[in-house]
Amino acid sequence: MENSSRKIKVVVAMPGLDCHDRGVIYLSHVLREAGMEVVYLGKFNTPEHIVNTAIEEDADVVAMSYLNDHLYMMFFPKVVELLKERGANDICVMAGGRIIEEDRQKLRDLGITGFFGQSTPTPIMIDHITERVRKERWKSA
Amino acid sequence: MAGKEKIKSTRRFDACPVTETSAGIPLKEVYGPQDLQGIDYQADVADPGEYPFTRGIWNNMYRGKLWTRRVFTGLGSTADTNARYKYLLGKGASGLYCFGDTITHQGIDPDHPLAHGYAGVSGVSIVCLQDMYDLFDGISLEDVSVSFNNPSMAATIVYSAFIAYAQDMGYDLKKISGSILNEPIHLVYSMFETNAKPLDLAAKLATDVIEYSIKNTPRWHPIAPNAYDMHEKGANAVQEMAFTIAIMEEYIQRMVKRGYDIDEFAPRVNVFGCACDIDFFEEICKFRAARKVWAKLMKEKYGAKKPSSGRLYLSVHTSGNSLTVQQPVNNVARVTLESLACVLGGLQSFDPAGYDEGYYILTEHSALTSLNIHNILAYESRVASVADPLAGSYFIESLTDKMEKEMFKIINKIDEMGGAIKATESGWIGKEMESELIKEQKEIEEKKRIIVGMNEFVVSKEEEVPIEVGRDRPLEEQMATSKKREDEIKKLREMRDNGKVKSALEDLRNEAGKGEGYNLVPFMMESLRVKATLGEILGVIRLANGTSYDPYKVLQYPF
């Protein structure tokens, strides 16, 4: 029971060299206000660093954002792969930013959810995170 | 019809809900003569072309010369960009715009491990002197102005490469005109801070470009601080200008320390690259107020005597943040409104964003639309025919005055903190911007700021008017482009005379260790001429200043 009421911990990060971080700055603020714990990595992270942090911090969620170009299709799957390798597939991976429609199914198949963008109201993001973490905790309880 | 539900307007009695500007300055319902109290025409406003240049920097403004009509350009390869340049020049563009790719901004080469996949992505890759030959092939540099959007330490090298190219091609350097962004301090808040640190070194290199340029390329603007990025990361209209002016003071003071008289260089370091957002009147007043603040500062604080030292040239990229991915065609209306504010604000140059900016780099079609927004304003609408047509409006003059005072408050505060570098390192400027950003996003969520098609007047995907937008290249294609560039640079390293490269880099490294008064531009030009790369040149300068060769600490100095 204690497990399911623990504060939700989210690692917020941008992989690669994308510099459009307006969204993650605001998201981190909103998640904190909603009572979650945020580990803010900001810009310029390698997938390895994101995964290491998520594991060390015992995070529930890795929330990544990417807008600049198409390399997210390299970074996001890499994060999932590394988490799996390290036996940490209970960490929920979410992605947002500018994820084009055609790529979303591929990412969903890897277990990545979210795909929030510029106009997504933040309560929807908060609900999504809360709901996914609740299910994940129930599964592993 | 009986029995059928009729559609009623739910908005028939809507009133304008806005009671303050975007920056939070309260707005009255009506302005009148009483709002001009304390504003003296001669001292505070004055005719266009007269100090303090509130009404514009030239007496006849656009009758003398229209603003420079640029369109955002910066495509994958140098050859692609060159082709786009020729296309735009053929369609009436009067200036060229060069946006570097992500890794050029980062100051790393395409064969750096972290650059994998990034070369030529969302901008053009500039690494070596040969790139200038490819970019400007078949274009006469004496007859066009070129604006480089390179903000980081890499700007020093891009400038050096451009000048080395111009010199080697036999152009008269005195006739080369254009500008380079070349302002790294703001990067701490906005984009690629890794290549802006250490700040002191970054500011030193930027100052080298200023110093070299005023002596050798007198028509060039060697620094054009990027107010735009600060705005897009949260700074409101007042902060945007105040922070930028405070940052510029760092360079002014460095030049004074190097022994230059303010009037020797101020007329060349007076170009700002700003944003123009959707708050129409506030943006116009922002431009008017900023000119006034700059003129007063130059005269009263730095003792400038030449009128040209007080003339602030303003240039704009209309705000990308104000645009939506929903119904991109609506962005044409937004960009037109913002562009009109640029004209009424008396700007010297601007580039209207592409309606598809939210998607990717402009397509040929959206670039042409942006160019035609220029053409419609300049040649069709008649808005450019009278200098500062809004002057004398109770509202405009009162808001200009208010914004000027607010800007000075911030500038003085930063001065008390010891200048912009100190206020940056202490995190003060960053915090101010972040809280503005959060406030703005909250207002969007709460619909206190309406964005049509995004948080209000939303239509379904099916109802959207289909329109061609810039598209990401598929991942494989992006990787292939980057790989090609990576291979080119690897080949360059194999083919060149590495003995010569080493010796040029060692000379540069030696000079770079001597400190503030030793200008590195000639040494960078020599390194570029023997085919040294951007990453190598920055690397040895970093080494000479006691930091790692590679900003990401992955690579070692190869020689």
Side-chain angles (χ1 to χ4, degrees):
Chain A
M1 243 21 250
E2 211 183 275
N3 184 41
S4 64
S5 62
R6 184 165 53 91
K7 246 189 179 187
I8 294 176
K9 196 170 194 178
V10 186
V11 172
V12 176
M14 294 175 64
L17 301 179
D18 182 12
C19 65
H20 296 83
D21 60 350
R22 230 188 123 95
V24 287
I25 292 172
Y26 184 56
L27 177 70
S28 304
H29 172 83
V30 168
L31 297 184
R32 282 191 189 111
E33 271 197 336
M36 297 183 194
E37 194 178 337
V38 173
V39 181
Y40 181 70
L41 293 182
K43 294 177 283 193
F44 309 144
N45 297 285
T46 58
E48 288 76 9
H49 182 59
I50 296 171
V51 168
N52 285 342
T53 310
I55 291 171
E56 274 164 28
E57 293 279 347
D58 193 18
D60 298 288
V61 176
V62 169
M64 291 181 286
S65 168
Y66 203 90
L67 286 99
N68 200 61
D69 52 80
H70 222 130
L71 283 191
Y72 61 82
M73 284 307 280
M74 181 170 89
F75 296 125
F76 294 165
K78 184 77 188 168
V79 166
V80 172
E81 185 194 314
L82 290 172
L83 283 171
K84 224 180 234 161
E85 261 178 45
R86 308 266 306 262
N89 20 358
D90 57 324
I91 298 178
C92 309
V93 180
M94 297 173 196
R98 197 183 54 96
I99 314 302
I100 62 173
E101 203 57 52
E102 294 87 322
D103 293 329
R104 293 185 181 183
Q105 195 50 49
K106 267 189 215 159
L107 296 172
R108 272 190 207 107
D109 293 344
L110 296 171
I112 300 174
T113 60
F115 312 119
F116 305 124
Q118 182 203 26
S119 55
T120 315
T122 49
I124 291 180
M125 304 187 202
I126 293 166
D127 285 351
H128 178 83
I129 294 174
T130 315
E131 194 55 21
R132 243 196 103 180
V133 170
R134 197 182 59 81
K135 278 187 189 149
E136 192 56 49
R137 284 181 180 177
W138 184 80
K139 253 199 311 194
S140 51
Chain B
M1 293 298 282
K4 265 196 183 170
E5 182 91 30
K6 286 183 183 161
I7 296 172
K8 283 186 280 187
S9 169
T10 53
R11 293 185 172 271
R12 197 170 158 206
F13 298 106
D14 274 10
C16 173
V18 176
T19 57
E20 58 179 34
T21 70
S22 206
I25 299 171
L27 290 171
K28 304 209 280 188
E29 284 185 3
V30 177
Y31 286 74
Q34 69 282 2
D35 295 299
L36 298 185
Q37 268 172 24
I39 301 174
D40 178 72
Y41 182 75
Q42 219 43 54
D44 296 308
V45 186
D47 289 348
E50 300 286 327
Y51 179 90
F53 308 106
T54 312
R55 301 192 58 191
I57 59 173
W58 308 114
N59 59 0
N60 60 352
M61 288 304 292
Y62 302 130
R63 292 274 194 114
K65 181 178 179 280
L66 282 166
W67 62 91
T68 305
R69 300 166 304 285
R70 291 183 214 278
V71 174
F72 185 99
T73 321
L75 299 160
S77 75
T78 41
D80 293 340
T81 305
N82 178 266
R84 178 66 66 86
Y85 285 163
K86 287 175 177 163
Y87 172 80
L88 289 170
L89 287 171
K91 295 277 184 250
S94 61
L96 301 176
Y97 188 96
C98 182
F99 195 84
D101 67 356
T102 307
I103 56 171
T104 304
H105 292 328
Q106 296 274 11
I108 56 178
D109 291 338
D111 52 351
H112 188 290
L114 283 176
H116 192 53
Y118 278 106
V121 173
S122 61
V124 66
S125 166
I126 301 176
V127 182
C128 57
L129 186 54
Q130 180 61 40
D131 296 334
M132 291 295 166
Y133 281 85
D134 299 338
L135 265 176
F136 297 105
D137 178 52
I139 294 169
S140 166
L141 290 193
E142 289 179 18
D143 301 298
V144 70
S145 89
V146 186
S147 171
F148 285 98
N149 187 316
N150 296 91
S152 65
M153 283 201 250
T156 330
I157 291 140
V158 172
Y159 171 80
S160 302
F162 184 72
I163 298 309
Y165 164 72
Q167 212 168 42
D168 296 351
M169 287 292 287
Y171 288 114
D172 180 356
L173 290 190
K174 303 228 164 354
K175 289 186 185 156
I176 300 294
S177 69
S179 65
I180 187 155
L181 220 148
N182 188 36
E183 198 301 292
I185 301 172
H186 80 280
L187 287 181
V188 175
Y189 321 109
S190 54
M191 301 204 296
F192 307 104
E193 64 264 41
T194 27
N195 195 25
K197 286 174 181 168
L199 268 182
D200 196 55
L201 172 63
K204 187 260 175 205
L205 292 179
T207 312
D208 282 359
V209 172
I210 298 172
E211 186 181 27
Y212 187 89
S213 181
I214 60 160
K215 288 184 185 160
N216 300 285
T217 51
R219 287 183 64 196
W220 189 265
H221 291 283
I223 185 166
N226 193 348
Y228 178 87
D229 277 2
M230 302 184 94
H231 170 75
E232 299 288 274
K233 272 292 287 290
N236 65 38
V238 172
Q239 292 170 329
E240 176 191 351
M241 289 309 191
F243 293 159
T244 306
I245 290 169
I247 285 173
M248 275 313 294
E249 285 195 78
E250 292 279 356
Y251 299 98
I252 290 169
Q253 288 163 13
R254 273 169 197 264
M255 284 298 283
V256 170
K257 262 193 210 137
R258 287 191 189 189
Y260 292 89
D261 183 78
I262 183 79
D263 284 323
E264 272 180 276
F265 64 90
R268 284 284 122 198
V269 300
N270 50 0
V271 182
F272 286 10
C274 323
C276 186
D277 212 317
I278 198 81
D279 190 335
F280 187 71
F281 291 116
E282 183 176 68
E283 293 299 62
I284 293 169
C285 295
K286 171 180 91 178
F287 300 133
R288 297 174 94 248
R291 278 195 294 266
K292 194 171 161 187
V293 171
W294 179 263
K296 281 189 174 175
L297 210 62
M298 288 306 112
K299 187 175 177 178
E300 291 165 14
K301 184 166 177 183
Y302 294 101
K305 291 179 189 70
K306 271 194 198 166
S308 53
S309 296
R311 284 199 180 100
L312 181 62
Y313 291 63
L314 293 170
S315 145
V316 146
H317 175 76
T318 64
S319 166
N321 245 351
S322 68
L323 308 182
T324 60
V325 287
Q326 297 87 357
Q327 306 176 70
V329 76
N330 289 348
N331 292 331
V332 178
R334 294 190 178 96
V335 172
T336 303
L337 197 59
E338 291 160 0
S339 298
L340 178 60
C342 293
V343 176
L344 298 179
L347 264 58
Q348 277 55 59
S349 119
F350 62 93
D351 65 293
Y355 57 74
D356 54 351
E357 174 150 328
Y359 287 85
Y360 201 57
I361 302 279
L362 286 69
T363 60
E364 194 168 278
H365 185 251
S366 63
L368 186 59
T369 306
S370 290
L371 180 57
N372 279 332
I373 291 174
H374 277 305
N375 291 338
I376 290 166
L377 287 170
Y379 300 104
E380 194 176 316
S381 74
R382 298 176 194 247
V383 292
S385 43
V386 175
D388 192 27
L390 299 184
S393 146
Y394 303 126
F395 172 45
I396 292 288
E397 296 302 354
S398 150
L399 184 56
T400 302
D401 188 66
K402 176 81 182 149
M403 291 180 83
E404 178 212 340
K405 291 193 170 103
E406 295 296 319
M407 286 176 196
F408 264 122
K409 267 188 211 162
I410 298 174
I411 291 167
N412 292 337
K413 191 164 187 172
I414 293 174
D415 204 34
E416 279 163 27
M417 292 177 188
I421 290 185
K422 290 256 164 63
T424 298
E425 284 169 345
S426 75
W428 183 78
I429 295 181
K431 283 216 176 71
E432 290 285 295
M433 281 167 56
E434 190 172 318
S435 63
E436 275 300 299
L437 183 155
I438 288 165
K439 185 176 143 242
E440 189 184 333
Q441 289 301 128
K442 274 235 146 78
E443 286 175 0
I444 292 171
E445 281 212 56
E446 290 161 1
K447 297 192 186 180
K448 282 184 191 152
R449 276 176 203 247
I450 300 293
I451 299 176
V452 173
M454 192 182 118
N455 64 0
E456 197 68 299
F457 309 104
V458 178
V459 302
S460 66
K461 263 253 169 289
E462 294 69 40
E463 287 172 286
E464 282 206 18
V465 184
I467 185 168
E468 186 207 3
V469 291
R471 281 280 171 206
D472 263 5
R473 283 168 298 172
L475 182 65
E476 302 72 40
E477 206 183 308
Q478 179 175 345
M479 297 303 282
T481 309
S482 185
K483 181 77 175 47
K484 191 170 158 243
R485 185 71 181 142
E486 203 179 308
D487 291 344
E488 275 171 26
I489 298 304
K490 278 186 179 152
K491 199 162 172 206
L492 173 92
R493 292 192 210 286
E494 280 165 25
M495 304 292 284
R496 65 189 184 182
D497 181 340
N498 277 311
K500 279 188 187 162
V501 177
K502 185 184 174 185
S503 117
L505 287 176
E506 286 304 324
D507 287 349
L508 170 62
R509 181 182 183 169
N510 182 38
E511 196 71 8
K514 292 181 184 167
E516 181 74 28
Y518 295 83
N519 198 308
L520 302 182
V521 172
F523 290 84
M524 289 191 235
M525 284 165 67
E526 283 323 302
S527 302
L528 285 158
R529 283 187 169 118
V530 296
K531 302 192 172 77
T533 63
L534 176 97
E536 291 167 341
I537 294 174
L538 276 179
V540 291
I541 295 172
R542 291 169 56 86
L543 278 179
N545 283 274
T547 42
S548 60
Y549 171 76
D550 173 8
Y552 289 98
K553 301 191 173 81
V554 180
L555 296 178
Q556 299 294 324
Y557 180 43
F559 297 110

